[in-house]
Amino acid sequence: MFALFRMLPVPKALILSVLSGYLLLPSRTVVDLPLVPPLDKASVISLVALLLTQRMSLAHRDARRSSIRSLRSQSMKAGLQAEGASFNGVPLGRPGTRLFFVFLLAVVLSPFLTVFRNGDGVTAGPRIISGLSLYDGLSMSINLFIAVIPFILGLRFVATRDEHRYLVTALAVAGVVYSFFVLFEFRMSPRLHIWIYGFFQHDWVQHIRGGGFRPIVFLEHGLAVGLFLATALLASSGQFRVRATAGLAKGPWVVGGIWIALALLLSRNLAAVVLVMVFVPAVLLLSVRNQLLLAAFVAVTFLSFPLLRGVGLVPIETIISAAEIVDERRAASLRFRLYHEDALLERALEKPLSGWGGWGRNRLYDEVSGRDLSVTDGAWIIVIGTYGWIGYIAQFGLVALPLILLWRQQRRQQDPFDPATAALAMIIALSLLYMIPNDFRNPIFWLVAGALAGRCQIALTEKRVLPTRRNSARPSRLPTRQPRPT
């Protein structure tokens, strides 16, 4: 990663570092240092990226200041007057918006409310889980801050149109390369992680499907492979739209998209395949405005999903019946998941605002034996059971807010956003739907969400600055005072 930051600009180095780290580093490996929370792959990627971006941005800032001083001295020698603190082509930072800061602050502080409301222990038979302390709140807060570091970096460094295009290109190319590993494990069984790192990162039985194997490569689960391939396929489709808009050659992206789609079909991820069948045609055929509308609708639906699920507005039986048409065994697995989600949702509603906290306090146990009875898979039920509605709105509102704001800004401006930005919004929308039954909040997910938030703040800044410039250029309508005749 350090070599990337030495050779490339900060936005490109950041994108490649997050992608390569998530796709190639070992999973289920934790470094447990004293006085800090355990560090896994995602934590290491986030912290290293933060350190390197800050180091390089400080170096660039020093170089920029020296160049400004040089230009200012040259201007003074030439008798020119320098206006303000910036020169043409010298960006001095991007103005932020308070709304994203409020959500980030809520994410980091929500664990302390959870700790305040969970000082009592949980008892089930012989199992006793102690109450939460201030140390637990601090640990959870640090973990959440580390998790959203890619969001902060994406907001700061991956916010412009060109950076969005580079991110889409990098995702598509990474998907093409990773497809070779996926097809290898489809044929030879999941072995790459064992060969390189010496152990298998999950349950082997879960990766045997339909007389074959479900590839897992270096990720935490085979389902995570399906989500990444779906993301890469949407990125390839978005890059196709970018090239079509610019009148450039589209052939390589068509071939790359077909290759990624083949790997996705063979990866045995039914949910990812179904979502791709909906979202890829939307990226290819819908206008940018309609893509952002669809993404905003998905964001609002996901934010309100626990409420919809609690009042029975989600057609559970219809979904299970549709799954039975495809595969009865998968339909039975889905029914099992939904049953446990209903039970866990009832448990979460006992403390709706603050949640139950960590250490398994949000789970259900047998009152006699103390045996764990819960199965938690979906990101929504995990977050709302652990942090309550406040933590749920804070964490997923941070992701949903850019989608909603982009759609609103698109309605109010004449120049549309770039197709790459729309493709990134569709990637987040697909990921949110995918995380209803699963939980894969990985660094790529947070980086893309942060990039969309950065684009929002640039659009908001332009909206506020441009009218001021027009008004300043408009001649004054006040009558000028005529001199009094003498």
Side-chain angles (χ1 to χ4, degrees):
M1 294 177 68
F2 181 75
L4 291 174
F5 280 90
R6 290 293 299 271
M7 295 185 299
L8 298 173
V10 172
K12 294 183 178 181
L14 172 62
I15 292 170
L16 295 181
S17 297
V18 171
L19 282 176
S20 60
Y22 177 69
L23 297 176
L24 299 178
L25 289 179
S27 297
R28 308 291 180 181
T29 302
V30 176
V31 179
D32 194 359
L33 299 176
L35 303 179
V36 296
L39 302 178
D40 58 2
K41 175 169 71 172
S43 302
V44 171
I45 294 170
S46 300
L47 291 174
V48 173
L50 176 64
L51 292 175
L52 292 178
T53 51
Q54 293 307 306
R55 175 178 177 179
M56 299 307 296
S57 61
L58 288 175
H60 291 168
R61 186 181 65 180
D62 294 339
R64 186 167 61 242
R65 286 178 176 175
S66 63
S67 65
I68 290 176
R69 286 194 295 266
S70 175
L71 289 173
R72 184 175 297 169
S73 62
Q74 293 176 8
S75 299
M76 294 178 65
K77 290 179 180 179
L80 301 176
Q81 293 182 352
E83 297 182 359
S86 63
F87 288 79
N88 293 333
V90 183
L92 296 181
R94 297 167 181 159
T97 56
R98 296 179 180 179
L99 199 53
F100 292 116
F101 176 76
V102 170
F103 274 86
L104 283 169
L105 196 63
V107 169
V108 177
L109 296 182
S110 60
F112 293 101
L113 175 62
T114 301
V115 168
F116 178 74
R117 297 294 303 275
N118 286 275
D120 54 329
V122 174
T123 304
R127 184 188 293 268
I128 300 176
I129 304 177
S130 61
L132 300 180
S133 64
L134 183 61
Y135 176 84
D136 296 315
L138 182 62
S139 177
M140 290 190 293
S141 179
I142 293 175
N143 279 331
L144 289 176
F145 173 74
I146 294 175
V148 299
I149 284 176
F151 178 93
I152 300 172
L153 297 179
L155 186 150
R156 175 64 183 87
F157 296 105
V158 193
T160 65
R161 183 196 66 177
D162 293 338
E163 290 158 0
H164 281 198
R165 289 186 175 185
Y166 188 85
L167 177 56
V168 168
T169 303
L171 285 170
V173 173
V176 171
V177 175
Y178 220 63
S179 297
F180 287 96
F181 300 143
V182 171
L183 295 176
F184 174 83
E185 290 200 342
F186 167 78
R187 179 65 181 86
M188 303 299 295
S189 78
R191 297 176 179 271
L192 292 175
H193 202 281
I194 300 175
W195 287 353
I196 295 178
Y197 296 113
F199 66 96
F200 189 68
Q201 68 269 45
H202 207 272
D203 185 7
W204 184 269
V205 177
Q206 292 192 23
H207 294 82
I208 300 176
R209 284 288 186 273
F213 299 101
R214 172 187 281 171
I216 186 172
V217 197
F218 303 114
L219 303 187
E220 59 269 34
H221 196 280
L223 295 173
V225 175
L227 175 60
F228 172 70
L229 292 178
T231 297
L233 186 54
L234 288 186
S236 179
S237 303
Q239 187 63 17
F240 176 88
R241 285 290 299 270
V242 171
R243 306 283 288 188
T245 304
L248 302 175
K250 306 177 290 292
W253 302 105
V254 174
V255 176
I258 294 174
W259 177 253
I260 298 172
L262 174 63
L264 178 60
L265 288 173
L266 297 179
S267 68
R268 304 179 187 277
N269 284 280
L270 179 60
V273 172
V274 172
L275 290 175
V276 158
M277 292 174 64
V278 175
F279 278 85
V280 168
V283 173
L284 294 176
L285 301 177
L286 294 182
S287 64
V288 170
R289 177 174 299 180
N290 288 332
Q291 290 182 53
L292 295 178
L293 173 61
L294 176 58
F297 174 77
V298 171
V300 173
T301 302
F302 186 88
L303 281 180
S304 58
F305 183 80
L307 181 62
L308 299 175
R309 184 69 183 278
V311 298
L313 293 180
V314 179
I316 299 298
E317 294 300 326
T318 303
I319 296 173
I320 294 176
S321 300
E324 288 176 347
I325 298 176
V326 179
D327 191 335
E328 293 185 359
R329 295 178 60 183
R330 294 191 178 185
S333 175
L334 179 60
R335 185 185 295 274
F336 178 79
R337 285 188 180 189
L338 296 176
Y339 167 78
H340 281 275
E341 287 181 355
D342 290 335
L344 289 168
L345 184 58
E346 292 182 5
R347 169 75 169 172
L349 293 179
E350 295 178 16
K351 295 187 177 182
L353 293 180
S354 61
W356 287 90
W359 306 106
R361 294 169 53 88
N362 61 321
R363 304 174 70 86
L364 297 173
Y365 302 96
D366 186 88
E367 293 294 337
V368 177
S369 64
R371 184 172 60 91
D372 189 355
L373 304 176
S374 304
V375 176
T376 53
D377 290 318
W380 71 275
I381 193 62
I382 294 174
V383 174
I384 202 170
T386 304
Y387 301 103
W389 270 105
I390 293 179
Y392 181 84
I393 295 298
Q395 293 186 38
F396 291 111
L398 195 64
V399 177
L401 183 62
L403 304 184
I404 300 171
L405 291 180
L406 284 173
W407 171 66
R408 289 189 61 191
Q409 292 165 6
Q410 178 64 49
R411 290 179 57 200
R412 298 179 180 180
Q413 66 182 18
Q414 296 180 353
D415 297 330
F417 286 110
D418 193 72
T421 301
L424 294 177
M426 297 293 277
I427 286 173
I428 293 297
L430 181 145
S431 300
L432 289 175
L433 292 178
Y434 198 77
M435 281 190 288
I436 291 178
N438 306 294
D439 183 16
F440 297 114
R441 290 167 288 167
N442 54 60
I444 297 177
F445 171 77
W446 289 113
L447 179 68
V448 174
L452 293 173
R455 188 67 188 91
C456 284
Q457 71 175 12
I458 289 181
L460 288 173
T461 303
E462 293 173 348
K463 180 182 176 182
R464 293 172 182 174
V465 171
L466 289 179
T468 303
R469 291 178 178 174
R470 286 197 299 265
N471 294 336
S472 63
R474 186 179 301 167
S476 175
R477 297 181 180 179
L478 295 176
T480 58
R481 179 178 295 179
Q482 300 294 331
R484 180 177 298 177
T486 59

